[in-house]
């Protein structure tokens, strides 16, 4: 059974940083899928944050460029998202997910094959 379990969320003040982690149950996912993060705030649509493809290529949403870094530990099957210079508008539930194509996780209507339960990020001004 495929599982993605997020951790690392919390409450920070504007300008602060958080490091989110996603433990993936199997290396099969990171080898065969594009993995990444999307977020969703109450009453708003899902929004892509960052993705990393099978070959290590990374793509970031325009709103997160320069403030987010996505990395992957292939030995431990862990996906990381470093968030810096956080703003109140970054407040949302952050989800780790896997999809066949990266574009479905980063732009337009977000869709995925597998996703975790999410970890809450709250940024106060």
């Amino acid at each position: 059974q495929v599982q993605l379990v997020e951790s690392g969320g919390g409450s920070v003040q504007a300008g602060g940083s958080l490091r989110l982690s996603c433990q993936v149950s199997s290396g099969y996912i990171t080898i065969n899928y594009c993995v990444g993060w999307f977020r969703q705030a109450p009453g708003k649509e899902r929004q892509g944050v960052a993705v990393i493809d099978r070959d290590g290529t990374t793509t970031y949403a325009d709103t997160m460029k320069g403030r987010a870094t996505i990395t992957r530990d292939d030995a431990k099957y862990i996906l990381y998202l470093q968030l810096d210079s956080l703003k109140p508008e970054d407040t949302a539930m952050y989800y780790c997910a896997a999809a066949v194509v990266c574009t479905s996780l980063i732009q337009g209507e977000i869709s995925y094959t597998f996703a975790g339960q999410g970890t809450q990020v709250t940024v106060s001004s």
Side-chain angles (χ1 to χ4, degrees):
Q1 183 179 356
V2 174
Q3 285 187 316
L4 293 86
V5 179
E6 303 94 336
S7 61
S11 297
V12 296
Q13 291 190 328
S17 298
L18 283 173
R19 189 193 195 200
L20 308 184
S21 299
C22 173
Q23 179 68 62
V24 183
S25 60
S26 171
Y28 172 85
I29 298 300
T30 54
I31 292 172
N32 293 288
Y33 290 83
C34 175
V35 291
W37 298 84
F38 67 89
R39 65 188 183 185
Q40 188 167 25
K44 295 188 176 181
E45 295 184 348
R46 296 170 184 165
Q47 182 182 42
V49 177
V51 296
I52 183 166
D53 210 342
R54 301 155 186 80
D55 63 357
T57 301
T58 58
T59 305
Y60 297 90
D62 288 342
T63 56
M64 301 306 297
K65 286 180 180 177
R67 300 193 300 121
T69 304
I70 187 170
T71 56
R72 188 181 67 204
D73 186 329
D74 291 334
K76 298 180 179 179
Y77 313 149
I78 300 176
L79 185 68
Y80 298 103
L81 182 68
Q82 177 69 38
L83 298 170
D84 299 312
S85 302
L86 283 163
K87 305 174 182 179
E89 51 263 44
D90 294 321
T91 295
M93 186 73 80
Y94 284 69
Y95 297 88
C96 171
V100 175
V101 292
C102 283
T103 50
S104 67
L105 281 180
I106 196 68
Q107 64 187 40
E109 186 174 348
I110 304 300
S111 63
Y112 52 84
T113 304
F114 305 103
Q117 296 299 306
T119 186
Q120 178 68 37
V121 171
T122 302
V123 186
S124 58
S125 57

